[in-house]
Amino acid sequence: MRTLADPDTPFAVVDVHKVRRNVERLATRAERLGVTLRPHVKTAKSLDVAALLHAGDRPCPVTVSTLAEAEAFADGGYRDITYAVGIDPHKLPRVVALLRRGVTLRVLLDSAEQAEAVAEASRRAGLRVPTQIEIDCDGHRGGLEPDAPGLPEIGGILHEAGCLDGVLTHAGESYFARTAAEQRLAAENERDSAVAAAERLRAAGLTVSTVSVGSTPTAHAAEDLTGVTELRAGNYVFFDLVMAGLGVCRVEDLALSVVVTVIGHRPEYGWILTDGGWMAMSRDRGTAAQAQDQGYGLVTDLAGNPIPGLVMTAASQEHGTLTARDGTRLPELPLGTRLRILPNHACATAAQHHGYHVVDGTRTTTAGAQVVQAFWSRVSGW
Amino acid sequence: MRTLADPDTPFAVVDVHKVRRNVERLATRAERLGVTLRPHVKTAKSLDVAALLHAGDRPCPVTVSTLAEAEAFADGGYRDITYAVGIDPHKLPRVVALLRRGVTLRVLLDSAEQAEAVAEASRRAGLRVPTQIEIDCDGHRGGLEPDAPGLPEIGGILHEAGCLDGVLTHAGESYFARTAAEQRLAAENERDSAVAAAERLRAAGLTVSTVSVGSTPTAHAAEDLTGVTELRAGNYVFFDLVMAGLGVCRVEDLALSVVVTVIGHRPEYGWILTDGGWMAMSRDRGTAAQAQDQGYGLVTDLAGNPIPGLVMTAASQEHGTLTARDGTRLPELPLGTRLRILPNHACATAAQHHGYHVVDGTRTTTAGAQVVQAFWSRVSGW
């Protein structure tokens, strides 16, 4: 029997009890809101984690961030996949290959040029690439504003080729909505933008099936999704300190952590050094812009109990520096002590690892150790 | 014949012509300074890149940042390896296993407790784990200051067990030395600290064979390494914008880049969107602290010619945002255009990829395209 004391550090751990709780929370919300949930699997990039989304039932619809994910999830039996990054026409052959395998792979775009490329690829392949038009609801990234002059033209190109599936938007700015009220407003704006764009297309005589919205903050804040057909969110399976800082979850909901070992002390500087640097945590400093900067992460003991006031404040490639917040009195953390670091950004930290050592934090040995039940691998690359 | 126009983006590219030039530059310096060069392979983590260090001759001494690297380089025929992260006693069985394979694997430590663990592991295994004492020359991370009271005691424990190999220091603060003069001072300080520590141990009757110093900035700045036996540096094989910002290299020396594709335009914001986000570049913002903040990287065309004033200013997981510096007039960069992004921090960007598409920038097709000669894989994990 292996516990978290056994594998060489650093390594990533996922607590399945917390994943299940996080998954159930959003599934219940989506059901109450009357929308299909289409989880974004870009955070965990794991078929095993994704299986918890549908509890062993028929694979659910998913969102992916790369074609490598789409291909891996297709191999794993998923048949309803949205690739939510604006399509590069060069990648259409891989899209067509997935469609030919019987996977409904939806692509995203925001220009007439891309729409022409999708229409042309569909004609050549003798099939229809189901396509969504990206709507920009908050000036965050790509997409057309709901009232953009070009929207009906793009819809028309896709409609004519039999490719128009719907519209999709993502409230990227909701990651900076600091209060519950701001997050509700972001959710309303996200919905309003997607529905307005869909209505414009319908008014132009086009058929819009899918109206897709979502981000982890807005998915947890939305109170009314009238006109929306599906909700996307990804980060929520693990959550992280950025989400806790926004109040979307509690620190105790964080299901991903990185186990590190104390390899040195610099009492003259107040530093505890570990073998977990940015290679294990990523360089993400997402909480730097929040009211409480959490450095590279908060520290817990190996059982997952927070060590109040202890923060990972610096990182080099394979070294982490832990520092106590002003006035904090720390427990003794001698050489060889294993700790867990809770990350700023689960998507970025998870991406630094091949996979996850899996525990259930509610099940321990008589000595209180968490048993490693499995190793779940990740999809990587593009 | 595949060129950089062929693989789906994003992907990492290494220009071997630039690697060879960078490698030769430091090899020439080390020879002139009369020290052994022990390159740190943590940047490229590639046996193929490392082969350029010794031009096909007998494998050179190397430095590694993980035991996974040590094991992969041992498999690749390297027999003289320094693991330059303070040893976690839990990892000693893997160290012993490598020693038993005939690899001289040196470990690093800075406490009596670690020294006792190394001595005990050596006794149990019936061998000697060659060990270096980490010296702190600039308050950057771990190590003992050269005049630390505990230094002779730790040396004594190692000496008695037959494990004392020498001392090692790393001028981590040299990454913040903004002028050539400051870098020379950092190099002198690095040398003086290591030599002083070695002399203290020798004065206590202990044998010190190795006196190891190095960082990419100090390795290129040192003018006199009297008393030093070996020089370490890693980043220099690729270089990056942080090093260019310090003046250690020129932008045209950067051998690593990431090829991305233009997937959208937001003229109202002045944005060009690409399919290369932080997953392809890392979250490293190392130039943020420099005089010229380079965002997530500078942009070149597919042939590697800089596009003056174009900077990758924002990143989400699979999206990059390119913005022109004030007043810059950009060339047309239509949908589908491929560009290369020069990274802030080569170690971090390289770590986001499975390996490298290899080109020689001086050899092109008649149409000017760079031919992909090979794919070189990386070691990853711990």
Side-chain angles (χ1 to χ4, degrees):
Chain A
M1 196 177 61
R2 275 160 66 94
T3 73
L4 293 183
D6 293 312
D8 279 346
T9 52
F11 60 91
V13 177
V14 164
D15 185 330
V16 284
H17 176 74
K18 294 184 180 187
V19 173
R20 285 200 187 93
R21 198 169 61 193
N22 297 339
V23 162
E24 194 180 318
R25 180 179 164 204
L26 191 59
T28 304
R29 284 204 106 247
E31 202 178 329
R32 179 160 62 76
L33 290 162
V35 291
T36 299
L37 187 60
R38 180 185 291 276
H40 204 317
V41 297
K42 79 182 178 86
T43 303
K45 293 205 187 201
S46 155
L47 286 162
D48 299 295
V49 172
L52 301 179
L53 295 167
H54 44 86
D57 289 349
R58 207 160 55 92
C60 60
V62 293
T63 317
V64 299
S65 67
T66 65
L67 287 177
E69 280 166 64
E71 289 157 353
F73 274 76
D75 292 345
Y78 291 76
R79 288 291 171 270
D80 183 357
I81 303 177
T82 297
Y83 170 41
V85 175
I87 189 71
D88 164 16
H90 193 273
K91 292 174 181 146
L92 283 168
R94 287 167 72 190
V95 171
V96 167
L98 282 165
L99 289 163
R100 287 194 168 133
R101 287 174 58 184
V103 176
T104 301
L105 181 71
R106 295 176 174 81
V107 303
L108 189 67
L109 54 76
D110 66 358
S111 69
E113 204 173 343
Q114 287 164 303
E116 296 283 12
V118 163
E120 175 62 20
S122 296
R123 274 188 289 272
R124 285 196 186 192
L127 45 71
R128 293 163 176 200
V129 177
T131 303
Q132 299 177 348
I133 303 175
E134 184 173 8
I135 304 303
D136 172 21
C137 65
D138 56 10
H140 178 71
R141 202 161 63 195
L144 294 158
E145 288 174 22
D147 59 356
L151 181 62
E153 180 204 348
I154 295 170
I157 296 166
L158 293 172
H159 179 82
E160 198 174 317
C163 295
L164 181 60
D165 175 71
V167 294
L168 176 148
T169 195
H170 167 63
E173 286 300 300
S174 68
Y175 283 67
F176 306 95
R178 286 150 202 259
T179 64
E182 282 175 28
Q183 288 156 25
R184 272 196 304 275
L185 276 174
E188 285 170 23
N189 175 61
E190 189 181 48
R191 176 205 61 200
D192 291 348
S193 302
V195 171
E199 288 308 317
R200 269 189 81 206
L201 292 167
R202 288 175 181 138
L206 311 178
T207 305
V208 176
S209 307
T210 304
V211 180
S212 179
V213 303
S215 72
T216 287
T218 55
H220 290 81
E223 294 184 338
D224 176 2
L225 290 179
T226 305
V228 164
T229 66
E230 68 172 33
L231 185 62
R232 304 178 330 278
N235 181 284
Y236 76 103
V237 292
F238 289 163
F239 281 129
D240 54 27
L241 292 173
V242 167
M243 287 300 132
L246 293 177
V248 177
C249 67
R250 304 162 303 170
V251 170
E252 54 263 44
D253 295 325
L254 272 59
L256 175 73
S257 58
V258 176
V259 178
V260 303
T261 299
V262 173
I263 60 166
H265 296 86
R266 296 301 301 270
E268 65 275 45
Y269 296 115
W271 294 344
I272 297 164
L273 299 174
T274 77
D275 63 356
W278 59 251
M279 188 64 84
M281 294 306 298
S282 91
R283 271 289 193 199
D284 198 283
R285 290 280 293 103
T287 56
Q290 295 191 329
Q292 175 72 73
D293 184 344
Q294 308 286 26
Y296 283 92
L298 292 183
V299 186
T300 79
D301 65 17
L302 195 56
N305 306 304
I307 299 175
L310 190 59
V311 184
M312 179 170 163
T313 44
S316 51
Q317 188 160 336
E318 298 292 348
H319 295 81
T321 303
L322 312 183
T323 316
R325 288 208 160 106
D326 280 352
T328 303
R329 203 183 149 83
L330 296 176
E332 283 285 306
L333 298 169
L335 186 84
T337 303
R338 291 187 168 210
L339 301 166
R340 285 159 81 168
I341 314 291
L342 300 173
N344 281 319
H345 188 175
C347 311
T349 299
Q352 302 296 109
H353 297 267
H354 291 156
Y356 314 104
H357 287 77
V358 179
V359 299
D360 178 332
T362 62
R363 296 186 188 183
T364 57
T365 64
T366 47
Q370 294 185 11
V371 177
V372 176
Q373 303 175 343
F375 182 82
W376 287 352
S377 62
R378 276 175 57 90
V379 180
S380 60
W382 289 270
Chain B
M1 196 178 61
R2 275 159 68 91
T3 73
L4 292 183
D6 292 313
D8 279 344
T9 52
F11 60 90
V13 177
V14 165
D15 184 330
V16 286
H17 176 74
K18 295 184 179 188
V19 173
R20 285 199 187 92
R21 198 169 63 192
N22 297 339
V23 162
E24 193 179 320
R25 178 179 165 206
L26 191 59
T28 304
R29 285 204 106 246
E31 200 177 331
R32 180 161 61 76
L33 290 162
V35 292
T36 300
L37 187 59
R38 180 185 290 278
H40 204 318
V41 297
K42 78 181 179 86
T43 303
K45 293 204 188 203
S46 155
L47 287 162
D48 299 294
V49 172
L52 301 178
L53 295 166
H54 44 85
D57 289 350
R58 209 160 54 93
C60 60
V62 293
T63 316
V64 299
S65 68
T66 65
L67 287 177
E69 281 166 64
E71 289 156 352
F73 275 76
D75 291 346
Y78 290 76
R79 287 292 171 270
D80 182 357
I81 304 177
T82 298
Y83 170 41
V85 176
I87 189 71
D88 164 15
H90 192 273
K91 293 172 182 147
L92 284 168
R94 286 167 72 189
V95 171
V96 167
L98 282 165
L99 289 164
R100 286 195 170 133
R101 286 174 58 185
V103 176
T104 300
L105 180 71
R106 295 177 174 82
V107 302
L108 188 67
L109 53 76
D110 66 358
S111 69
E113 204 174 343
Q114 286 165 303
E116 295 284 12
V118 164
E120 175 63 19
S122 296
R123 274 189 290 272
R124 285 195 185 192
L127 46 70
R128 293 164 178 200
V129 177
T131 304
Q132 298 177 347
I133 302 175
E134 184 173 8
I135 303 302
D136 171 21
C137 65
D138 57 9
H140 178 70
R141 200 160 63 193
L144 293 158
E145 290 174 20
D147 60 356
L151 181 61
E153 181 205 348
I154 296 169
I157 296 165
L158 294 172
H159 178 82
E160 198 174 315
C163 295
L164 182 60
D165 175 71
V167 295
L168 177 149
T169 194
H170 167 63
E173 287 298 303
S174 69
Y175 283 67
F176 306 95
R178 285 150 203 260
T179 65
E182 282 175 27
Q183 288 157 25
R184 272 197 304 276
L185 276 175
E188 285 171 21
N189 175 60
E190 189 181 46
R191 175 204 62 199
D192 291 349
S193 302
V195 171
E199 288 308 318
R200 268 189 81 206
L201 291 166
R202 287 175 182 139
L206 312 178
T207 306
V208 175
S209 308
T210 305
V211 179
S212 179
V213 303
S215 73
T216 287
T218 55
H220 290 81
E223 294 185 337
D224 175 4
L225 290 179
T226 305
V228 164
T229 66
E230 69 172 32
L231 185 62
R232 305 180 328 281
N235 181 285
Y236 76 101
V237 293
F238 289 163
F239 282 129
D240 53 29
L241 292 173
V242 166
M243 287 299 132
L246 293 177
V248 177
C249 67
R250 305 163 302 171
V251 171
E252 54 263 44
D253 296 324
L254 272 57
L256 175 74
S257 59
V258 176
V259 177
V260 303
T261 300
V262 173
I263 59 167
H265 296 87
R266 297 300 302 268
E268 65 275 45
Y269 296 114
W271 295 344
I272 297 164
L273 299 175
T274 77
D275 63 356
W278 58 252
M279 189 65 84
M281 294 306 298
S282 90
R283 271 289 194 197
D284 198 284
R285 290 280 293 102
T287 55
Q290 295 190 331
Q292 175 72 72
D293 184 343
Q294 308 285 27
Y296 283 92
L298 293 182
V299 186
T300 79
D301 65 17
L302 194 57
N305 305 303
I307 299 175
L310 190 58
V311 184
M312 178 171 163
T313 43
S316 51
Q317 188 159 337
E318 299 292 348
H319 296 81
T321 304
L322 312 183
T323 315
R325 289 208 161 105
D326 280 351
T328 304
R329 204 184 148 82
L330 296 177
E332 283 285 306
L333 297 169
L335 186 84
T337 303
R338 291 187 169 212
L339 302 166
R340 286 159 81 167
I341 314 291
L342 301 173
N344 281 319
H345 187 175
C347 311
T349 299
Q352 302 297 110
H353 297 267
H354 291 156
Y356 314 105
H357 287 78
V358 179
V359 300
D360 179 332
T362 62
R363 296 186 189 184
T364 57
T365 64
T366 47
Q370 295 185 11
V371 177
V372 176
Q373 303 176 341
F375 182 82
W376 288 352
S377 63
R378 277 176 56 88
V379 181
S380 59
W382 289 270

